[in-house]
Amino acid sequence: MDLYAVATEMVKNYGYIGIFIISFTEAFIQPIPPDIFIISAPFFGLNPIISAIVASIGTTLGGLFGYYLGYKLGHPIFVKLFGEKYLQKGEEFFNKYGVYGIVLAGFTPIPYKVVAWLSGIFEIRALIFTIATVVGRAPRFLIEAFFGNILSNFSINKLYNLNIYLFYLINSHYNHILDIIMLLISKTVYPIVFITTTLIYLKNRKLGLKLAFSLFLAVLIIFSLKYLINEPRPYIVLENVHLLCFEGNEPSFPSGHTTYAFTLATSLLLNYSKKIGLLFLIWAIFVGYSRVYVGVHYSFDVIGGLIIGIFCGYLTKLNIEKFIERLKLIDIWRKIKKKS
């Protein structure tokens, strides 16, 4: 059974009652949170603020029910439902953060049902638990409601018009000196990424391998999205474009140059040197700007590239050893580790 589909139908058919039920049950047992339904409340004909309030009430009552279950049923049932791993991690979490951990869990994606059960198991005072729940979850839901209101005021046409407006705002303000600078920035992205990645690999093979993997993943994501969305280049559909370079008929979204630049900058910032990383981050921002300036991308293409690039760059911070071992490259990996 697709729980998300069930939850969607519940909100669609029962409105605020559906959001209450989802919030209540998510706080002690089921995995679907109410967040997406708060943000998308306008699409269900609901008010995001009221949805956030209903969700806050539901999650508080549901959390108290989970608290009661933990208090009465204790460790054995918890372990059967969530596993020994969550019990151990939960104990470490409460030892480290105490009551503040409840607030933290309420505001972040930490599974709140686990925190509710553990609060009962560890016999935290019910009143304290309730206050911490409200303090943690209500602001989170209200922030989501704020974004829900923004979304409700933006139709697809408005977003499209904003994209066009931002494009002309950048592309129509040009001069001869900026033309040279922006074209140079735009055209040197690939060489800079290649040379920097090579130098990183020669100095730190493990990091170089991770960076190369992240860039390869970025390529896959970019071209998948390009041909899935298939958005034409601005110079194909718009008039009076200040065009400095031609990219053919290749789809526009997202910006590949921006993605590679932010992948490299994020990786250097997280793994190599903050000063060098910040310099590359500034460079990446100029790369994104230059792609609109030279007339080959919309602003939203650049924003998409920025998000993908940061995501791919962040992957270099993670331990990919297990992943590589699963690809049966253990021997190669061990050789690299010995040399680095």
Side-chain angles (χ1 to χ4, degrees), residues 123-271:
E123 298 184 4
I124 291 173
R125 290 175 60 188
L127 179 60
I128 298 296
F129 170 78
T130 304
I131 294 172
T133 297
V134 174
V135 171
R137 300 218 103 179
R140 165 178 160 178
F141 293 155
L142 288 171
I143 290 171
E144 291 166 351
F146 170 76
F147 285 105
N149 270 326
I150 293 176
L151 285 175
S152 68
N153 293 325
F154 269 96
S155 64
I156 297 299
N157 286 334
K158 286 182 178 178
L159 286 173
Y160 176 77
N161 291 334
L162 176 63
N163 201 17
I164 301 300
Y165 170 77
L166 291 174
F167 172 79
Y168 279 122
L169 183 65
I170 296 172
N171 184 257
S172 62
H173 291 82
Y174 56 86
N175 59 56
H176 181 64
I177 296 175
L178 276 178
D179 285 356
I180 297 172
I181 294 172
M182 291 300 157
L183 189 59
L184 182 65
I185 291 173
S186 189
K187 286 293 186 180
T188 55
V189 171
Y190 289 159
I192 289 174
V193 170
F194 177 77
I195 292 170
T196 306
T197 304
T198 303
L199 291 174
I200 292 294
Y201 179 78
L202 293 174
K203 191 168 184 179
N204 185 333
R205 294 191 178 188
K206 185 176 180 180
L207 177 57
L209 183 66
K210 286 184 176 183
L211 179 55
F213 172 79
S214 294
L215 288 167
F216 175 70
L217 179 63
V219 172
L220 295 180
I221 294 173
I222 288 166
F223 282 94
S224 297
L225 288 175
K226 276 185 182 292
Y227 290 97
L228 179 66
I229 297 173
N230 201 29
E231 179 186 44
R233 297 275 180 175
Y235 55 75
I236 294 176
V237 296
L238 300 180
E239 297 179 352
N240 301 318
V241 173
H242 180 59
L243 184 63
L244 296 181
C245 62
F246 184 69
E247 299 285 349
N249 294 323
E250 182 185 283
S252 187
F253 183 90
S255 167
H257 288 68
T258 306
T259 303
Y260 305 138
F262 274 96
T263 299
L264 178 60
T266 304
S267 176
L268 293 175
L269 186 65
L270 294 176
N271 301 282

Side-chain angles (χ1 to χ4, degrees), residues 213 320-330:
F213 172 79
I320 62 169
E321 183 171 355
K322 291 183 180 179
F323 177 79
I324 293 176
E325 287 178 351
R326 287 177 184 175
L327 293 178
K328 298 182 179 180
L329 296 175
I330 302 175

Side-chain angles (χ1 to χ4, degrees), residues 20 23 27 49 70 94 108 129 136 141 147 212 253 262 265 278 303 305 313 315 333:
F20 176 85
S23 306
I49 301 296
F94 274 100
T108 62
F129 170 78
F141 293 155
F147 285 105
F253 183 90
F262 274 96
L278 284 172
I303 293 171
L315 293 180
W333 180 252

